[in-house]
Amino acid sequence: MNLTFYQSRVLRSFHRLPTLGLPLAYLFVTLSWQVAMLLYTDFQIIPELSPPKETLFLIPLSLGLASIGRDISEGLLPVLLTRPLRRSSYVLSHWAALGTVASFWALAHALVQWGLIQNTSPHPPRLEELVYNALGRVSLCFGMAAALVCFSTRLPAWGNLLLWGVLYYLAERVLPGLGKDESARYAFTVRQYLLGVIMPHLDIRQTFASSPISWFRLTTYLSNVSLLLLLGIHVFNQREVSYASR
């Protein structure tokens, strides 16, 4: 991984309106909704920390920057690859930047929720609940980042987000409906594999708080992320890039 390239991608995300404004708007809307519910119910319904997967839309919202296809469409890729930057480092740096910035917004969202709960609940949850939730969000951010970067090695511009959205729709809307039919129970299995590809997630509590440690969950998550990155590197290595690729 190239540290200089990684830093430039992370910093760039905080200097562009879409990658800065949309996550801030998401944080403001969710906080406003929870405050409104508190006032409406006269503080009878105390907000709770959202599960990690409920914040997944922070990732594509905050990280349009990490599209390899976008660099190709803008004609930046041939220039970048003329520098001492290996293709594998380029892909891994994109992934690390995407996961880092997404984790920043996901953790900011968790801290905002935690602060609201601490100030409104007579019996707030323990600090370890925040830690488990935060680490789960980070695992989801880097897992989804691997899928988005893998897709972007082959698709132009925003194509990685579009493909991810289509696969998510199939997993959450189409396949559960098929699974209701007794003859199509396989749909549930397909859905689990599909979710493991597009949004790898590690349940920190069930993995490390149990005794013994759930090595199966850990190795499944790490293998899914590794395979996505290896596939992305392989596809990108096979791709021909020229100065006429604009």
Side-chain angles (χ1 to χ4, degrees):
M1 191 178 79
N2 187 286
L3 184 59
T4 302
F5 183 73
Y6 160 77
Q7 291 175 336
S8 69
R9 290 290 155 155
V10 170
L11 293 175
R12 190 177 78 166
S13 70
F14 296 102
H15 292 85
R16 299 177 65 141
L17 182 59
T19 56
L20 181 61
L22 289 176
L24 282 174
Y26 180 87
L27 291 178
F28 176 78
V29 169
T30 54
L31 178 61
S32 299
W33 172 257
Q34 291 180 338
V35 171
M37 288 299 296
L38 278 170
L39 296 175
Y40 179 75
T41 61
D42 195 21
F43 291 81
Q44 296 301 312
I45 299 180
I46 304 300
E48 298 179 353
L49 277 175
S50 299
K53 289 188 178 181
E54 289 190 10
T55 62
L56 62 94
F57 291 109
L58 276 169
I59 302 168
L61 277 179
S62 61
L63 292 170
L65 80 122
S67 170
I68 295 174
R70 193 178 195 184
D71 284 348
I72 297 174
S73 299
E74 294 177 354
L76 295 176
L77 186 59
V79 178
L80 290 172
L81 294 183
T82 58
R83 301 180 179 184
L85 178 64
R86 298 178 60 184
R87 290 195 176 201
S88 58
S89 296
Y90 174 80
V91 174
L92 292 176
S93 299
H94 261 294
W95 166 70
L98 188 60
T100 300
V101 180
S103 296
F104 171 83
W105 291 112
L107 293 177
H109 183 265
L111 289 175
V112 167
Q113 284 191 319
W114 180 258
L116 184 62
I117 294 170
Q118 289 290 101
N119 287 283
T120 56
S121 174
H123 304 290
R126 293 176 297 176
L127 181 61
E128 68 178 28
E129 296 297 327
L130 175 63
V131 174
Y132 285 137
N133 189 284
L135 292 177
R137 294 179 186 221
V138 171
S139 75
L140 178 63
C141 288
F142 279 92
M144 282 183 59
L148 290 170
V149 167
C150 179
F151 297 159
S152 70
T153 57
R154 201 61 230 167
L155 299 172
W158 298 91
N160 60 337
L161 296 180
L162 179 61
L163 176 58
W164 186 91
V166 170
L167 294 177
Y168 178 78
Y169 178 81
L170 288 174
E172 292 294 336
R173 295 291 182 267
V174 177
L175 292 176
L178 293 175
K180 294 178 181 178
D181 188 350
E182 194 66 34
S183 63
R185 291 294 182 181
Y186 66 88
F188 285 116
T189 302
V190 174
R191 178 176 180 270
Q192 291 303 315
Y193 280 113
L194 186 56
L195 289 176
V197 169
I198 64 174
M199 44 189 299
H201 168 246
L202 184 62
D203 190 319
I204 303 298
R205 176 184 291 280
Q206 294 187 18
T207 302
F208 295 103
S210 60
S211 182
I213 294 175
S214 178
W215 294 109
F216 175 77
R217 293 177 182 273
L218 182 61
T219 54
T220 299
Y221 171 78
L222 293 177
S223 62
N224 286 346
V225 172
S226 299
L227 285 173
L228 286 167
L229 292 175
L230 289 173
L231 178 60
I233 291 172
H234 173 73
V235 171
F236 192 60
N237 281 335
Q238 304 302 314
R239 183 161 191 163
E240 294 184 3
V241 178
S242 69
Y243 283 94
S245 61
R246 246 183 214 273

